[in-house]
Amino acid sequence: MIARAFRQVLVLLAAALVPAIIAGTIQLKYHEPDPVPQIDAAAARALGEAVLWVDARPRREFNAGHIDGAVLLNEDEWNSLIPDFLNEWDPDKPIVVYCGGGGCQASKAVASRLLTELQIENVRVLKGGLKAWRSE
């Protein structure tokens, strides 16, 4: 009786394992495209002064050092910083948003809000963030 129950458990586990493997394979193959385009440091440098830099890091990090001419705009202070951003914004200039480094999600979050909430189209995220900019 115990052997029969054990076999039934094994059959159920095997039956559940097949759909799990299929679902996992599909999820690994499919990933949503990034809604915010990226730009690498070399391409961003080529833009020269024809870009508005947006620093998405916390204020203390911005104050410690940032890309020349960058405007601070982070999610923590979004509402209070938007007026300063809008004063600097020129619809003819592309916007490049950056944060600390490659693993930082702050730049994607800020860029996404610029795209969706403010309907600004020419927004990019600096690939690799400030670390990539400084290492070029």
Side-chain angles (χ1 to χ4, degrees):
M1 180 141 159
I2 292 176
R4 183 176 177 210
F6 184 70
R7 277 194 305 260
Q8 287 175 340
V9 168
L10 286 177
V11 169
L12 288 173
L13 285 174
L17 186 60
V18 171
I21 290 172
I22 293 170
T25 303
I26 290 170
Q27 287 180 355
L28 286 175
K29 287 183 181 177
Y30 175 78
H31 57 85
E32 261 185 53
D34 204 349
V36 183
Q38 294 189 0
I39 187 170
D40 64 28
R45 283 186 194 285
L47 294 172
E49 292 184 18
V51 63
L52 174 59
W53 290 100
V54 173
D55 192 322
R57 299 174 303 150
R59 181 179 294 276
R60 63 179 166 64
E61 292 179 35
F62 176 83
N63 289 342
H66 53 271
I67 295 174
D68 288 340
V71 175
L72 177 63
L73 182 60
N74 58 47
E75 288 210 291
D76 293 337
E77 300 177 80
W78 181 266
N79 291 332
S80 63
L81 294 173
I82 280 292
D84 290 338
F85 165 79
L86 291 174
N87 284 337
E88 296 295 324
W89 177 55
D90 177 348
D92 295 328
K93 282 187 172 184
I95 297 169
V96 178
V97 184
Y98 68 92
C99 57
C104 176
Q105 296 298 310
S107 56
K108 289 181 181 179
V110 167
S112 191
R113 288 184 79 172
L114 290 171
L115 288 164
T116 57
E117 293 178 25
L118 298 181
Q119 301 292 303
I120 297 174
E121 294 179 8
N122 199 359
V123 179
R124 306 253 182 294
V125 168
L126 181 61
K127 193 176 190 175
L130 189 58
K131 286 180 186 176
W133 178 259
R134 288 180 172 161
S135 68
E136 281 260 327

